[in-house]
Amino acid sequence: MNDERTGAEGGSNEPELKGIDLARRALEEARAAAKASGKAVGQGRASRGRLRPKRRRRGWSGPGPDDRDPQPLGALAQSLSKQRGWSTHVSEGTVMGSWARVVGDDIASHAQPTTLRDGILHVSAESTAWATQLRMMQSQILAKIAAAVGHGVVKELRITGPTAPSWRKGERHIRGRGPRDTYG
């Protein structure tokens, strides 16, 4: 009685196989038998093959940063605006929308931005005194804006004071030149 798996009898030169070596030989024989009968070998659940991509391990990402971690909305919006070419429009909107944060509460309470076109920011002050003060502080305001939104977004400031009231319309309108001696 010749035992082929163990090589115990029959004058075989192979040593007796035990444990994992025995399991390996049995697997090799099963694969060879499957190949001989025309079946696909190694296409089971555990093997990926070249068509199926490697699956990600599910679970926690660990203590380090990972691309699956939640991303800040601001960073996501900034990358989207860069990809789409909206960076200048977003910067302009930041100047207009965050005026108080950009220039400070004191200036923002007395002056408001009205328009921003071609790098020229038009600012309307509440009084002529504030308009004069802002004109003297123009370089500091431009530096604050550049620090908040980047250089080149606002190149120049045009600061205007309040306008005189118009009596051109209404029930008390009288034809003629109007009050020239009061506002001049």
Side-chain angles (χ1 to χ4, degrees):
M1 166 183 256
N2 188 2
D3 191 3
E4 292 178 6
R5 279 182 270 155
T6 59
E9 291 181 20
S12 173
N13 292 339
E14 293 181 23
E16 184 177 330
L17 298 176
K18 292 184 179 177
I20 193 155
D21 295 326
L22 183 62
R24 232 181 239 133
R25 172 166 281 167
L27 180 62
E28 288 172 4
E29 290 173 359
R31 283 185 177 161
K35 244 184 204 180
S37 66
K39 293 183 180 177
V41 177
Q43 296 298 320
R45 198 174 60 161
S47 66
R48 282 190 305 278
R50 64 173 192 226
L51 297 178
R52 288 194 314 182
K54 181 179 178 182
R55 288 186 184 171
R56 286 193 94 148
R57 181 180 61 91
R58 291 192 178 176
W60 299 99
S61 64
D66 190 10
D67 60 342
R68 296 179 292 162
D69 291 340
Q71 302 297 318
L73 183 62
L76 184 63
Q78 185 177 14
S79 68
L80 179 66
S81 68
K82 274 186 183 176
Q83 289 173 354
R84 303 269 172 119
W86 300 338
S87 296
T88 56
H89 299 296
V90 171
S91 298
E92 291 172 1
T94 303
V95 171
M96 301 297 276
S98 304
W99 176 251
R101 183 182 56 82
V102 171
V103 297
D105 292 330
D106 191 32
I107 294 173
S109 64
H110 299 288
Q112 293 299 318
T114 54
T115 58
L116 175 58
R117 285 194 195 111
D118 301 325
I120 300 172
L121 178 65
H122 294 268
V123 178
S124 176
E126 71 176 13
S127 67
T128 55
W130 267 101
T132 304
Q133 184 70 23
L134 292 177
R135 284 187 197 107
M136 289 191 294
M137 296 174 53
Q138 189 168 0
S139 62
Q140 288 104 355
I141 294 171
L142 284 172
K144 286 181 180 182
I145 293 171
V149 297
H151 296 284
V153 176
V154 177
K155 299 171 191 162
E156 183 181 338
L157 287 177
R158 295 223 176 123
I159 302 166
T160 57
T163 57
S166 173
W167 288 284
R168 298 303 293 172
K169 296 181 181 175
E171 61 186 46
R172 294 194 171 89
H173 173 67
I174 301 174
R175 289 184 189 230
R177 292 177 45 98
R180 297 283 179 217
D181 60 340
T182 309
Y183 298 99

